[in-house]
Amino acid sequence: MDPFEILSYAVSDAAVDAAAVEGELARLEQLAVVSAEETFGVREFISEWKLQGIPFAIVSNNSTKAIRKYINAHNLTDSISLIAGRTPECADRLKPDPHLIEEALNEMNCNPQEAVFIGDSISDMIAGWRAGVVRVAFANKTGKDATLGPLSDLVIERFGN
């Protein structure tokens, strides 16, 4: 079962300790950072945005702690302007809810019409649409272009050549 479905269930059922479920998910995500592989070309892509003076935020349903651990392990800290990730306080407002995108836009003092959001899931595309940003679908697996294409403004299959 999808861990985000489990978390969604936990936050919707008063009989479940949602904070404990979220904490365990965050712990497991941090462990997974060790084996997470960098997406080909993404480092150069992020570096190019930084060279152009354009802020780059990470918006993710993953825990903020796991995201920080990943960017530290991959020496990306200086290239990332902001992280809008899952915290215990917003575990009930994950994508497709636009909350995390809107949080990033507010923190960066950016209008939605000036932002580009890259995502690889249907929930990403829906959240981007709800937030009013340009949506780029990262179709990194066979068939994703057909699934995500109709929900996005642009489809890419890779970063770089």
Side-chain angles (χ1 to χ4, degrees):
M1 181 174 228
D2 182 315
F4 295 117
E5 289 178 23
I6 295 169
L7 181 59
S8 177
Y9 172 79
V11 298
S12 70
D13 187 335
V16 177
D17 185 352
V21 173
E22 193 285 326
E24 180 62 10
L25 179 56
R27 185 186 73 76
L28 293 171
E29 289 169 342
Q30 290 176 68
L31 289 175
V33 166
V34 177
S35 61
E37 293 183 18
E38 189 173 301
T39 300
F40 177 81
V42 78
R43 175 181 299 279
E44 294 78 12
F45 179 81
I46 294 170
S47 295
E48 185 59 33
W49 282 74
K50 183 180 179 185
L51 286 173
Q52 299 298 322
I54 301 169
F56 193 94
I58 294 176
V59 177
S60 176
N61 284 351
N62 291 317
S63 74
T64 300
K65 290 178 181 179
I67 297 165
R68 277 199 174 87
K69 185 172 181 176
Y70 180 88
I71 66 170
N72 288 337
H74 291 271
N75 298 314
L76 291 167
T77 307
D78 292 340
S79 299
I80 306 300
S81 304
L82 177 80
I83 297 171
R86 188 187 76 248
T87 62
E89 297 77 25
C90 74
D92 61 339
R93 308 232 17 232
L94 302 179
K95 298 175 286 177
D97 187 303
H99 171 73
L100 293 172
I101 297 172
E102 291 167 347
E103 178 183 291
L105 292 169
N106 289 335
E107 289 289 322
M108 297 173 78
N109 197 27
C110 181
N111 293 321
Q113 301 81 7
E114 299 171 336
V116 175
F117 177 65
I118 302 169
D120 66 353
S121 69
I122 291 172
S123 65
D124 286 337
M125 295 302 105
I126 294 170
W129 173 74
R130 289 177 174 167
V133 297
V134 172
R135 298 163 321 278
V136 176
F138 180 40
N140 57 342
K141 295 180 181 155
T142 304
K144 274 194 171 183
D145 54 341
T147 304
L148 301 179
L151 302 171
S152 68
D153 298 299
L154 176 69
V155 177
I156 61 171
E157 294 180 353
R158 65 184 179 280
F159 293 96
N161 296 327

